[in-house]
């Protein structure tokens, strides 16, 4: 079976995705599969073999190797952000009838949109922060917004990952600057109430139809919040499993599984919460979580005593079954 590990992307998360793809490549069982690395970058789509680049044919997502045309039986997607976490690549692979890991193109598009995800989850009685949604060009009534969400508050791009464009606003005078910063990442912005509590991230996947909560990790950021520097440049402490009470652990595991099922998810996901007075408040879901050796999801897998190679086998099986059942 020919497996492609797809990595890169067009966002500032591209370098993190390349590390995730390399980790997948290091962990996959190469005695079972013929495995190729595929980079999707702004300057081109290529298969990389021994530092040599072989262009991907965008007509059928194949490539030429020694005058032989290579097609992929299944793709493992590790792109963070655009175009691999927002449904674009998945929709393209659907049209080509190529099985891929993770959730469907619709679920990818939905969960990458913070506003729409929160709107759906409210119907499933999920606790979330109070929020206001703004489009670029809207009339901005700062006083009205602050009255709605309070101070401090968070200003976030609606569709962006790795905390890019996110600001914690403590003073009214800083609100418009934060808004401009967020609009550089997306044309729509979410303003959310600040939740004071403990931040916990939960890894989840599906195995033989069952939702599996891998582990919990408490995030203690050295910065104002878990921003890009804290996530990827070491400015945080990540404790797995999270040192929370048994009751809090039970509640957050149940909440993560409930959200995963409610959104009809498949594939690796990392769900972010703030625990406030024992209640988990949902922040967001990442459907292609970072998977470099230092990333949270692989740490959770290791702490849970699971074999990452077997998890990749499981992802491949689910991808193939999903397309066989279409």
């Amino acid at each position: 079976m020919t497996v492609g590990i797809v990595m890169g992307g067009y966002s500032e998360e591209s370098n993190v995705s390349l590390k995730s793809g390399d980790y997948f490549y290091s962990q996959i069982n190469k005695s079972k599969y013929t495995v190729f690395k595929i980079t999707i970058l702004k300057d081109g789509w290529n298969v990389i073999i021994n530092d040599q680049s072989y262009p991907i044919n965008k007509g059928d997502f194949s490539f030429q190797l020694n005058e032989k045309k290579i097609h992929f039986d299944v793709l493992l997607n590790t792109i963070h952000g655009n175009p691999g976490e927002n449904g674009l690549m998945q929709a393209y692979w659907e049209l080509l009838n190529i099985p891929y890991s993770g959730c469907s193109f619709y679920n990818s598009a939905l969960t990458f949109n913070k506003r729409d995800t929160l709107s759906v989850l409210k119907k499933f009685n999920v606790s979330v922060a109070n929020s206001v949604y703004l489009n670029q060009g809207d009339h901005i009534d700062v006083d009205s917004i602050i009255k709605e969400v309070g101070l401090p508050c968070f200003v976030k791009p609606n569709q962006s990952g790795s905390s890019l464009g996110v600001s914690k606003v403590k003073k009214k005078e800083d609100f418009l600057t934060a808004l401009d910063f967020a609009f550089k990442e997306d044309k729509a912005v979410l303003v959310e109430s600040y939740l004071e509590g403990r931040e916990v991230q939960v890894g989840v996947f599906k195995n033989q139809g069952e939702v599996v909560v891998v582990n919990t990790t408490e995030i203690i950021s050295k910065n104002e919040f878990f921003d890009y520097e804290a996530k990827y440049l070491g400015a945080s402490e990540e404790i797995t499993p999270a040192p929370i009470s048994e009751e809090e652990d039970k509640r957050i595991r149940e909440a993560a599984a409930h959200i995963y099922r409610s959104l009809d998810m498949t594939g690796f996901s990392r769900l972010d919460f703030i625990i406030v007075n024992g209640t988990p408040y949902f922040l967001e879901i990442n459907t292609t979580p970072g998977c470099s050796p230092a990333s949270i999801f692989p740490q959770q897998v290791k702490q849970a005593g699971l074999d990452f190679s077997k998890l990749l086998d499981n992802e491949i099986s689910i991808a193939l079954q999903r397309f066989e059942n279409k």
Side-chain angles (χ1 to χ4, degrees):
M1 187 182 297
T2 303
V3 177
I5 299 175
V6 190
M7 61 192 87
Y10 302 157
S11 75
E12 291 181 49
E13 300 173 271
S14 177
N15 286 335
V16 179
S17 172
L18 293 173
K19 293 177 182 177
S20 295
D22 285 342
Y23 186 71
F24 271 41
Y25 188 81
S26 75
Q27 296 298 302
I28 195 168
N29 188 340
K30 298 180 187 67
S31 67
K32 293 179 68 171
Y33 315 107
T34 301
V35 188
F36 295 99
K37 294 182 183 181
I38 306 167
T39 57
I40 304 296
L41 301 169
K42 288 181 178 179
D43 61 2
W45 296 10
N46 293 284
V47 173
I48 308 299
I49 305 172
N50 297 325
D51 296 326
Q52 290 285 102
S53 297
Y54 299 82
I56 287 282
N57 180 341
K58 294 183 181 180
D60 59 5
F61 209 73
S62 67
F63 75 104
Q64 292 287 137
L65 180 63
N66 300 327
E67 300 182 359
K68 182 181 179 182
K69 192 171 190 177
I70 307 294
H71 291 272
F72 297 98
D73 296 306
V74 65
L75 300 169
L76 292 173
N77 176 31
T78 70
I79 297 175
H80 311 319
N82 182 36
E85 198 171 4
N86 58 2
L88 294 181
M89 292 300 297
Q90 291 90 332
Y92 162 69
W93 292 326
E94 288 267 357
L95 290 171
L96 295 175
N97 205 34
I98 303 174
Y100 57 86
S101 68
C103 57
S104 72
F105 74 93
Y106 170 76
N107 293 75
S108 298
L110 170 66
T111 53
F112 199 68
N113 186 306
K114 295 181 179 70
R115 178 197 66 171
D116 291 357
T117 304
L118 294 173
S119 297
V120 169
L121 289 176
K122 283 179 182 178
K123 303 295 183 182
F124 292 93
N125 299 316
V126 174
S127 298
V128 298
N130 197 22
S131 61
V132 172
Y133 183 76
L134 302 170
N135 289 306
Q136 201 162 28
D138 284 352
H139 170 69
I140 306 299
D141 185 340
V142 178
D143 289 328
S144 176
I145 294 167
I146 290 175
K147 185 178 179 181
E148 179 73 21
V149 300
L151 287 175
C153 65
F154 280 101
V155 179
K156 308 176 177 180
N158 186 47
Q159 299 189 74
S160 179
S162 293
S163 299
L164 296 170
V166 178
S167 300
K168 181 179 178 181
V169 178
K170 298 179 179 180
K171 299 183 295 183
K172 173 185 170 181
E173 300 79 51
D174 298 332
F175 184 83
L176 292 178
T177 301
L179 202 60
D180 289 341
F181 183 53
F183 278 135
K184 289 178 181 176
E185 295 293 330
D186 190 28
K187 293 180 180 179
V189 163
L190 198 67
V191 184
E192 288 185 330
S193 297
Y194 170 69
L195 297 171
E196 187 167 0
R198 301 172 72 174
E199 182 165 355
V200 177
Q201 302 191 351
V202 187
V204 186
F205 70 97
K206 187 172 281 186
N207 180 32
Q208 298 180 349
E210 294 295 319
V211 175
V212 179
V213 177
V214 183
N215 221 321
T216 60
T217 300
E218 182 174 14
I219 306 299
I220 303 173
S221 178
K222 297 174 185 175
N223 297 344
E224 280 283 354
F225 61 96
F226 197 44
D227 58 9
Y228 187 92
E229 182 187 17
K231 285 181 177 178
Y232 302 118
L233 303 178
S236 68
E237 185 179 2
E238 301 161 6
I239 307 169
T240 307
I244 52 181
S245 69
E246 284 187 21
E247 180 60 30
E248 286 174 328
D249 187 69
K250 181 173 180 286
R251 286 182 183 177
I252 203 157
R253 285 173 176 271
E254 288 175 346
H258 172 61
I259 290 166
Y260 191 94
R261 290 190 193 98
S262 298
L263 293 172
D264 193 25
M265 296 299 298
T266 53
F268 300 159
S269 288
R270 195 194 74 239
L271 290 82
D272 301 352
F273 296 88
I274 298 286
I275 301 175
V276 182
N277 297 324
T279 299
Y281 281 75
F282 172 77
L283 298 179
E284 65 180 20
I285 180 171
N286 295 269
T287 57
T288 56
C291 281
S292 72
S295 296
I296 290 170
F297 189 85
Q299 288 179 34
Q300 293 177 335
V301 169
K302 185 177 180 180
Q303 286 284 339
L306 300 174
D307 185 334
F308 204 92
S309 174
K310 290 181 179 177
L311 265 62
L312 293 177
D313 288 344
N314 180 59
E315 288 298 293
I316 289 169
S317 295
I318 290 173
L320 293 171
Q321 288 169 12
R322 189 169 65 205
F323 274 71
E324 285 171 4
N325 296 332
K326 284 176 64 176

